[in-house]
Amino acid sequence: MKNKRILLIIFSFLLVNMLYINTAAATSKVPISGKITDSDLRPITGAKIVFEMEGGLNGIQVAKTDYRGNYTIYLPLTSKTYWVTIGKDKYRTYRGKIHLKDDSDNFNFTVHK
């Protein structure tokens, strides 16, 4: 009887740890960065970049560019494909799709007036 209790405690401990590890992996985020420039390759300050997971308005992440046009955002690993929308006053809105790969962490974009 005592051995059954010990086995039950060990099994419960292992189950909880497995669930915790799977949950942590599912919510892991990877840093994505890049630069937003105009057609003359000048940095665009204060551009808003919206990343949406493939399949609709799920998992929306938003960033803004700094004074050098750079941005950094942390995207969940749950999706490898994202729609990207970039907006800034006096510029045309950019909309496109990116595909994350294991070694892809830098995406630069050009927006036009």
Side-chain angles (χ1 to χ4, degrees):
M1 188 72 157
K2 188 173 182 179
N3 288 339
K4 286 183 180 181
R5 284 187 195 166
I6 292 173
L7 286 175
L8 182 61
I9 291 170
I10 291 172
F11 177 75
S12 299
F13 177 75
L14 291 174
L15 183 62
V16 168
N17 281 329
M18 284 183 357
L19 290 173
Y20 174 77
I21 290 169
N22 287 339
T23 303
T27 58
S28 294
K29 294 186 178 189
V30 293
I32 304 296
S33 60
K35 188 170 194 144
I36 310 299
T37 57
D38 65 13
S39 53
D40 295 322
L41 300 179
R42 290 184 297 236
I44 298 177
T45 301
K48 182 179 177 181
I49 306 130
V50 179
F51 288 82
E52 304 167 34
M53 284 185 199
E54 177 80 348
L57 299 175
N58 295 324
I60 295 176
Q61 303 288 323
V62 180
K64 281 205 171 208
T65 57
D66 63 13
Y67 69 98
R68 292 184 177 159
N70 297 318
Y71 72 91
T72 299
I73 194 162
Y74 295 87
L75 300 178
L77 290 174
T78 54
S79 178
K80 293 283 188 175
T81 303
Y82 286 87
W83 282 97
V84 179
T85 306
I86 302 170
K88 172 75 176 173
D89 289 342
K90 301 181 183 177
Y91 290 90
R92 285 188 266 163
T93 300
Y94 171 90
R95 178 110 169 125
K97 199 184 271 192
I98 63 168
H99 302 281
L100 299 181
K101 298 177 184 169
D102 292 336
D103 60 348
S104 62
D105 62 355
N106 192 280
F107 294 93
N108 298 321
F109 300 95
T110 302
V111 293
H112 302 279
K113 287 192 175 199

